[in-house]
Amino acid sequence: MICCGAIGAQAQDTSPSLTAPVAPVSEELELLKEEETVSIATRHEQPISQAPSNVYVITDEDIRHSGATDIPTVLRRVPGLDVMQVTGADFNVSARGDNQLFANKILVMVDGRSIYIDGQGLVFWKSLPVTLPEIKRIEVLKGPASVVYGFNAFDGVINIITKSAQDMKGTTLQFGGGELGTISSAAVQAGSAGKLDYRLSIGHDQNQQWRNSDALAFRSNKFNVQTQYNFSGDATLRVAGGFIDTNRFDGPVSNVQIPRSQFNQGYTDVHYQYRNFSVRGWWQGNDIPVDSATHPLLSQFVRQTNATGGPNVSFTTNTYNIEAQHSLEFGSSNRLSYGVNYRYNTVDGSAVSELGREDRFGVHLQDEWKIRPSLILVAGVRYDLHTRINGTWSPRVALVYNLTPEHTFRISGSVAYRPPTLFESNLDLRILPTVPPLFAPIPLLGSQKLNPEQIISYEAGYQGWWMKHRLRTRLDLFFNHLSDLINFQTVGTARTLVNGGEADIYGTEAGLEFLATRWLSGFANVSYQKIGQTFTGVSRRGGPDWKANVGLRGDWDNGFNSEIAVHYVASATYPLIEFFTALAPVLPAPTSPTVDSYTLLNLRGGYRFWHDKAEVAVAVYNALSDKHKEHPLGDTLGSRVMGWVTLRF
């Protein structure tokens, strides 16, 4: 399978060994790779070239060969994704020039279940409810997808798909340790008993701060269990649950503070599927203790507190979701899909003025019509209702044309919305002077009158296979119009969340993936984006114009393997709160809104043995030691060396 990352010549792992044994085949057949099958664009399996949206795939082999301890580091290789590491715990991920602190515009799921925190609009990327060895692949969709996922599928969707119990049958142990007190560990037990499959996993992860190697940035423990009962006649019932205990989280960083946080999450998930029909219900609860801590550059002058002046800004959220979907196939030329979804959210705590509650209800309809064998029209629409806003319509239309079986063109247009979160509606905090009377206390207030944010997107794409499927090339063009983004504006003596402004973001992404020999593969891509906007203050969009990624992977029969990946990110300017300008003469250090360009060189070398059931590896993050910041208020990132051991039996 040729994918977004380096393309392994080995088959995907479906046995207890690190690389499944395969029968000897000719070199020509080994270099003939099939196209990926994805489900993220239409919520059913289809070849990636037939998807009505821009989709990339990261495989479990890409993750293993990367040597990464977290998912955002792996996502850097996807052209058009913006990945910003701010502290040793805090990452922000978005797409196509729309990244920011507290990034809240990309929907993230595990096995199709949203882990996006509706109440606050965040994803805690270091505290995902899955361990690295459990991940089978990551599907990345860039562009709006509200038509099938509803609210929050604004800039794009990332779905982390885990391995089945049969894929992981047996025991998997993985331990990684290295500099900055970094530990990444997991234990997975999977198997079956009759028609019942099961998978149990535990994980522990931790690391120190970049800015202070003696201080803890992140520490987390997680437990997950998934069972699946396989009925006769293609029906399955999957029941899953788990919890995460993150007792130290350095962030998330805002324009004023680097809070001392914890993050505790529990979830349950029940999913029944019979052929083209599925019904699912899940619950997710988050307990997030937070002590406000002002950014060190401002701490001598200001502090952010709750409404009574205290440092406790903790909160809890709960989400209850039920959804159903069904598809009808009319011959081989038409597929009609429709579904319904209800969600109930709550937020409470010392950071909000009252207990917040909201109901969401949505219905969607999508038709895929094969007009001709070489021409497919995909059209759909979704209608969403929300407690505090008017109903929204989210359409998508796409045309996919196969010039030949190896060359595909796609054009599409879509609309998506992100509603105000309960946090944005009920926020109630204060900014106080550390040394009165520097300024009067400033209330930070939410608003019950916010409108949803909107994106209108147009795309054109091409995918082509060359050299008997040993080389794939891609080219995409996009234009996004953003409006009514939510951010702070001074209203009287308070800073209040309001809608306002517009932005036009356009750009292009080009890339290739190749399989040079049975043991050597690689990828290269580049992306460009330009932002025109009327936003002012901290609501301004920021990001690099250029990004480029190159990778090479070697995987030899004698057990040795290696990967080299280079990520270049151009300089970028991000908005800062006005305190940094007003207090510039007396701040302990000057703060520029611009971060310099940087180049990340990541290396990994490994050796498989014991019939491919064991592997030892060494990975180096930022091998060039290119010390850099990825946001003006973030830590200066350095390098790190890690050792890895993996056993399967």
Side-chain angles (χ1 to χ4, degrees):
M1 180 181 294
I2 293 185
C3 298
C4 146
I7 310 99
Q10 305 291 339
Q12 278 196 356
D13 180 14
T14 57
S15 79
S17 64
L18 292 175
T19 305
V22 294
V25 294
S26 69
E27 183 172 353
E28 182 178 356
L29 289 177
E30 284 185 327
L31 295 175
L32 180 63
K33 295 303 173 183
E34 295 182 358
E35 187 175 41
E36 307 98 323
T37 298
V38 297
S39 59
I40 194 171
T42 56
R43 299 183 70 166
H44 69 81
E45 298 283 340
Q46 62 184 160
I48 195 171
S49 62
Q50 306 306 305
S53 300
N54 182 310
V55 178
Y56 272 74
V57 175
I58 295 172
T59 69
D60 57 344
E61 288 296 284
D62 295 329
I63 297 171
R64 180 173 72 89
H65 281 284
S66 72
T69 61
D70 50 68
I71 296 304
T73 299
V74 183
L75 292 175
R76 290 181 185 273
R77 65 181 60 199
V78 179
L81 271 194
D82 298 315
V83 177
M84 176 200 300
Q85 184 173 7
V86 189
T87 71
D90 187 20
F91 284 88
N92 292 283
V93 179
S94 200
R96 294 175 168 172
D98 200 19
N99 212 0
Q100 59 184 7
L101 297 177
F102 270 70
N104 57 11
K105 295 176 177 55
I106 198 161
L107 177 64
V108 183
M109 304 183 294
V110 173
D111 291 327
R113 178 182 66 85
S114 173
I115 58 172
Y116 179 99
I117 302 175
D118 284 348
Q120 192 185 22
L122 282 181
V123 175
F124 284 78
W125 282 99
K126 291 278 284 186
S127 296
L128 301 181
V130 63
T131 64
L132 291 179
E134 292 178 279
I135 299 174
K136 183 174 184 178
R137 69 180 186 269
I138 303 173
E139 297 182 3
V140 180
L141 183 155
K142 290 171 291 180
S146 283
V147 65
V148 288
Y149 293 106
F151 291 135
N152 304 327
F154 192 87
D155 284 340
V157 181
I158 296 174
N159 189 21
I160 301 169
I161 299 171
T162 63
K163 298 173 183 176
S164 69
Q166 295 302 317
D167 290 336
M168 298 199 75
K169 194 170 185 178
T171 302
T172 301
L173 303 176
Q174 185 175 84
F175 180 84
E179 293 180 302
L180 291 174
T182 304
I183 294 175
S184 178
S185 60
V188 186
Q189 174 65 40
S192 59
K195 294 184 177 182
L196 180 67
D197 297 334
Y198 66 89
R199 189 186 73 221
L200 305 171
S201 69
I202 58 173
H204 173 80
D205 302 277
Q206 68 179 56
N207 57 268
Q208 305 295 93
Q209 296 178 1
W210 288 107
R211 64 184 182 274
N212 180 4
S213 60
D214 294 326
L216 190 64
F218 176 78
R219 182 171 56 209
S220 179
N221 301 291
K222 63 186 68 174
F223 170 77
N224 297 287
V225 57
Q226 182 183 101
T227 63
Q228 179 171 300
Y229 188 82
N230 304 297
F231 297 95
S232 302
D234 299 328
T236 60
L237 175 65
R238 188 172 64 197
V239 179
F243 65 85
I244 304 168
D245 171 27
T246 302
N247 50 51
R248 180 67 174 97
F249 191 95
D250 189 26
V253 177
S254 71
N255 289 298
V256 175
Q257 62 172 338
I258 306 180
R260 295 181 291 270
S261 304
Q262 299 178 41
F263 176 72
N264 306 299
Q265 182 184 91
Y267 73 93
T268 57
D269 182 20
V270 180
H271 186 190
Y272 173 80
Q273 183 158 353
Y274 176 69
R275 296 180 182 174
N276 291 337
F277 170 76
S278 70
V279 60
R280 185 175 200 168
W282 55 264
W283 161 82
Q284 177 176 284
N286 303 286
D287 177 23
I288 308 177
V290 182
D291 284 333
S292 180
T294 306
H295 195 283
L297 292 173
L298 296 176
S299 59
Q300 298 180 37
F301 308 98
V302 302
R303 58 191 178 98
Q304 184 170 303
T305 72
N306 58 33
T308 61
N312 180 16
V313 290
S314 304
F315 59 97
T316 59
T317 75
N318 282 280
T319 297
Y320 303 86
N321 184 87
I322 186 168
E323 60 192 63
Q325 179 173 297
H326 185 235
S327 297
L328 297 172
E329 296 183 4
F330 302 97
S332 60
S333 62
N334 194 276
R335 181 186 182 109
L336 179 68
S337 302
Y338 54 94
V340 61
N341 163 242
Y342 170 74
R343 184 172 297 182
Y344 176 69
N345 290 315
T346 68
V347 168
D348 196 12
S350 56
V352 293
S353 58
E354 62 183 18
L355 172 63
R357 300 183 179 92
E358 68 179 19
D359 297 280
R360 300 180 180 185
F361 178 79
V363 293
H364 72 268
L365 179 71
Q366 177 176 266
D367 188 65
E368 301 166 64
W369 177 30
K370 186 176 288 187
I371 302 173
R372 301 172 51 188
S374 60
L375 187 63
I376 302 173
L377 174 66
V378 181
V381 65
R382 179 178 174 112
Y383 182 68
D384 282 290
L385 292 171
H386 186 284
T387 300
R388 288 190 173 88
I389 63 176
N390 295 325
T392 60
W393 293 92
S394 301
R396 177 178 66 184
V397 178
L399 198 62
V400 180
Y401 175 62
N402 297 295
L403 180 63
T404 69
E406 288 78 30
H407 299 278
T408 304
F409 295 86
R410 169 183 48 82
I411 58 173
S412 64
S414 54
V415 178
Y417 294 89
R418 188 190 75 85
T421 66
L422 287 169
F423 203 82
E424 290 168 329
S425 297
N426 299 295
L427 183 69
D428 191 9
L429 299 174
R430 301 292 183 271
I431 294 181
L432 305 177
T434 304
V435 185
L438 190 62
F439 58 84
I442 303 173
L444 300 178
L445 303 177
S447 173
Q448 303 281 337
K449 300 179 180 180
L450 293 170
N451 294 317
E453 300 177 334
Q454 184 191 63
I455 181 172
I456 303 173
S457 179
Y458 305 96
E459 291 187 33
Y462 161 77
Q463 175 182 289
W465 290 92
W466 310 83
M467 300 172 61
K468 298 181 180 180
H469 271 234
R470 293 172 61 178
L471 171 68
R472 175 166 60 184
T473 57
R474 304 195 203 192
L475 177 65
D476 290 278
L477 307 172
F478 69 89
F479 176 86
N480 293 338
H481 177 75
L482 283 66
S483 59
D484 283 335
L485 295 195
I486 298 170
N487 224 309
F488 284 104
Q489 179 176 308
T490 300
V491 179
T493 60
R495 290 179 60 82
T496 304
L497 286 168
V498 299
N499 295 100
E502 297 182 343
D504 291 327
I505 305 177
Y506 61 90
T508 184
E509 299 146 7
L512 59 86
E513 302 120 43
F514 63 88
L515 188 55
T517 69
R518 191 167 55 87
W519 54 268
L520 180 64
S521 56
F523 71 95
N525 57 63
V526 63
S527 59
Y528 172 80
Q529 57 201 19
K530 198 67 177 178
I531 305 172
Q533 58 189 312
T534 64
F535 300 120
T536 60
V538 294
S539 64
R540 287 186 62 82
R541 304 292 92 184
D545 289 346
W546 290 96
K547 298 188 294 291
N549 306 292
V550 178
L552 281 175
R553 178 185 302 167
D555 204 342
W556 294 272
D557 291 336
N558 60 9
F560 286 98
N561 56 83
S562 64
E563 179 169 290
I564 175 174
V566 181
H567 309 285
Y568 169 78
V569 179
S571 63
T573 299
Y574 296 94
L576 298 177
I577 196 167
E578 56 267 25
F579 286 126
F580 287 96
T581 301
L583 299 173
V586 294
L587 290 179
T591 303
S592 170
T594 300
V595 293
D596 294 332
S597 63
Y598 62 90
T599 301
L600 279 178
L601 172 63
N602 297 335
L603 307 174
R604 181 189 181 274
Y607 176 67
R608 300 190 310 272
F609 57 98
W610 194 25
H611 305 291
D612 287 346
K613 294 181 180 180
E615 183 179 41
V616 292
V618 175
V620 184
Y621 171 81
N622 195 10
L624 296 176
S625 195
D626 184 356
K627 292 184 169 63
H628 66 280
K629 289 186 175 185
E630 299 183 6
H631 188 275
L633 302 184
D635 291 349
T636 298
L637 309 185
S639 59
R640 180 184 61 219
V641 179
M642 290 275 294
W644 292 88
V645 178
T646 304
L647 298 173
R648 293 180 180 172
F649 51 89

